[in-house]
Amino acid sequence: MPDLTHHLATLGPFAILVGSAVEGQLSAMAGGVMAREHLMSPLAVFAAAVAGTALVDYILFVLGRSFRRSGFVTKASKRRSFAKAVELIERFPTGFILSFRFIYGLRAAGPVAIGVTRIGHRRFAVLNVVGALIWATVCVGLGYLIGPALMTLMHSTAGEAAPIVVAALFAAVIAGVLLWRRRGKDETPESVLD
């Protein structure tokens, strides 16, 4: 068990950073559960979740801004969610930037759409960090709050192996999301997020 705890403390924040960048909510919530169980530092979990989501969203914003006429942005702009995002951005720019992470279907299209608009780099960067802080507080906090109930359930079904089961489930969720995303790239742009 000490080896698992050491590996989670060492590699867990990196997995949460990557998971928050790629998948989002589930990774941050799983990190909150593990922080509650003292398998990882709550501060490390929170920082990794903030960094993962803020970094990927800023990269997507820059891609939208820099490559407006590229295949990536052109493909994204054909999605129904992209058009919804642009409409919301024009009506509520600050509110949209602070909340797009919580709106299903706009997680990836949102920052690209913002990049196509007139919103400046500095304004987006500041609001992106504020939005990431809000998002991580909600997601990690929710995982932290439901951690005891989840671990009680896990202990009653898996006994002493519960932390191993949590780590395995975390790894399985990340792997599943990565495979799902890879499979989604093979679909036509019109069929994704419609």
Side-chain angles (χ1 to χ4, degrees), residues 169-188:
L169 286 172
F170 181 67
V173 166
I174 297 298
V177 167
L178 291 172
L179 289 172
W180 176 73
R181 293 230 180 209
R182 176 180 275 184
R183 188 187 76 200
K185 289 181 181 178
D186 295 336
E187 297 176 6
T188 61

Side-chain angles (χ1 to χ4, degrees), residues 15-127:
I16 291 167
L17 185 141
V18 171
S20 295
V22 174
E23 181 278 324
Q25 290 86 347
L26 288 178
S27 298
M29 288 174 58
V33 171
M34 287 188 262
R36 179 67 181 244
E37 290 300 307
H38 306 289
L39 298 172
M40 282 190 272
S41 159
L43 183 58
V45 169
F46 181 75
V50 170
T53 190
L55 182 63
V56 77
D57 291 333
Y58 189 77
I59 290 169
L60 290 172
F61 168 80
V62 170
L63 285 173
R65 176 62 45 95
S66 302
F67 302 102
R68 292 176 188 186
R69 290 166 186 77
S70 72
F72 172 77
V73 177
T74 303
K75 193 182 296 186
S77 68
K78 292 180 182 176
R79 296 180 181 165
R80 192 178 319 153
S81 60
F82 190 90
K84 287 180 194 174
V86 170
E87 179 183 329
L88 285 170
I89 294 164
E90 289 172 355
R91 291 179 64 200
F92 313 103
T94 300
F96 182 83
I97 295 170
L98 293 176
S99 65
F100 71 83
R101 289 171 182 84
F102 297 99
I103 304 171
Y104 181 77
L106 295 181
R107 177 88 164 97
V112 174
I114 296 165
V116 174
T117 67
R118 294 182 193 160
I119 293 173
H121 280 274
R122 181 178 293 158
R123 181 176 183 192
F124 179 77
V126 169
L127 292 173

Side-chain angles (χ1 to χ4, degrees), residues 7-21:
H7 290 308
L8 280 175
T10 304
L11 299 175
F14 178 73
I16 291 167
L17 185 141
V18 171
S20 295

